[in-house]
Amino acid sequence: MIDRHTIAFVSGANRGLGAQFVARLLARGAGKVYAASRTGHIDIDDAHVIPVTLDITDDGSVTHAARLAADTTLLVNNAGVNRQSAFLAPHALDDARAEMDVNYFGTLRMARAFAPMLMESHGTMINVLSILARVSLPAMGSLCASKAAALRLTESMCAALAPHGVRVLAALPGAIDTDMSRDFAGPKLDAAETADAILDALADDAREIYVGTMAQQLVQGLASNRAATQAQLLFPSGDA
Ligand SMILES: NC(=O)c1ccc[n+]([C@@H]2O[C@H](COP(=O)([O-])OP(=O)(O)OC[C@H]3O[C@@H](n4cnc5c(N)ncnc54)[C@H](OP(=O)(O)O)[C@@H]3O)[C@@H](O)[C@H]2O)c1
């Protein structure tokens, strides 16, 4: 539930899904939204929005942000990167390191820095992952690995924080219409609707939310026939 007592912190809030999280949190009446970006600049002009400078790969930056936003009750770990890199690509190692650095270690660093205040407020953490945490796409294998690692991490955070009254929600959307998916030709989710669907999931006690038809069909396929569902993505022309 979002209300005037909600003090949210959104990473990667300057564009894409993060900007829509900020807008939808305000529309739902959040009392304050810390909107974090690497530049510290946010386009939204609203008295309830506090711009914060944050690079989630930097210890000092994360510590500083957590001190500044010590009253946070809802942390949205949204910032992420996708280098769209296959493992034989020339820069595959650099790409994999960058994805792990942001998507895995960045999420871990943020969760550790904000855990004390979430425990104090019995707050909530949303980790924005991807349906690609559950399957492999060869064209972006290292991205899938980084999101899968972040999903495992999210599950352990969920268990570790539950006794302290902190809810942890893993959000696994399909393709969203943002800069990150600009080269994807298939159907894409609207970013505002994706943010809304994820925030709606706070109304029940789910630990995971799969957003959109693509994500929901994949997760159903994995449940009924994991090997066949994964094979369709690995060998789309049936040349296994
Ligand atoms: N788009 C999709 O199809 C899709 C699908 C499933 C899941 N997701 C996930 O949704 C989340 C939001 O992605 P998006 O689609 O909105 O992508 P986006 O438009 O590319 O935005 C990514 C955001 O993350 C920020 N960011 C990147 N590295 C950062 C760092 N080291 N520290 C702090 N912020 C950093 C970016 O900041 P700068 O502007 O400074 O680069 C930007 O604000 C990501 O976790 C992504 O993996 C996206």
Side-chain angles (χ1 to χ4, degrees):
M1 272 293 293
I2 311 297
D3 60 24
R4 67 191 168 81
H5 302 293
T6 304
I7 300 176
F9 187 107
V10 181
S11 65
N14 53 309
R15 60 190 173 101
L17 182 61
Q20 294 305 324
F21 267 119
V22 175
R24 299 316 301 156
L25 284 160
L26 292 172
R28 288 166 183 246
K32 197 195 287 186
V33 182
Y34 293 103
S37 66
R38 288 195 282 193
T39 61
H41 176 78
I42 293 292
D43 278 334
I44 297 174
D45 184 17
D46 187 301
H48 297 89
V49 175
I50 317 281
V52 177
T53 304
L54 173 72
D55 182 336
I56 65 169
T57 65
D58 183 286
D59 282 334
S61 176
V62 169
T63 303
H64 183 260
R67 276 204 201 110
L68 195 96
D71 52 354
T72 298
T73 63
L74 169 63
L75 172 64
V76 185
N77 280 317
N78 165 77
V81 290
N82 182 353
R83 294 284 190 93
Q84 322 247 0
S85 187
F87 96 104
L88 289 176
H91 302 293
L93 277 174
D94 288 342
D95 293 336
R97 276 194 200 97
E99 288 164 340
M100 286 300 283
D101 212 13
V102 177
N103 300 339
Y104 177 75
F105 288 107
T107 302
L108 173 59
R109 189 177 283 111
M110 286 293 291
R112 285 172 54 84
F114 281 75
M117 65 194 86
L118 294 181
M119 288 194 256
E120 191 161 321
S121 63
H122 291 173
T124 300
M125 176 161 52
I126 298 173
N127 288 349
V128 180
L129 308 173
S130 164
I131 185 58
L132 297 179
R134 298 289 314 277
V135 290
S136 286
L137 270 191
M140 46 183 87
S142 54
L143 175 279
C144 299
S146 71
K147 291 290 188 180
L151 175 58
R152 288 289 94 81
L153 178 68
T154 301
E155 290 161 354
S156 66
M157 287 173 184
C158 186
L161 292 175
H164 299 279
V166 179
R167 162 99 180 271
V168 179
L169 176 67
L172 296 92
I176 311 165
D177 192 8
T178 66
D179 295 342
M180 189 177 280
S181 286
R182 73 169 79 81
D183 297 329
F184 178 67
K188 290 181 250 193
L189 297 163
D190 176 78
E193 288 174 11
T194 304
D196 262 332
I198 294 169
L199 295 174
D200 283 347
L202 297 178
D204 60 40
D205 57 4
R207 294 189 190 126
E208 294 179 346
I209 162 92
Y210 291 86
V211 188
T213 309
M214 178 208 282
Q216 285 162 8
Q217 285 178 346
L218 274 172
V219 78
Q220 281 162 15
L222 290 170
S224 60
N225 190 338
R226 178 176 171 77
T229 302
Q230 179 63 82
Q232 280 169 9
L233 298 171
L234 294 177
F235 312 106
S237 52
D239 51 358

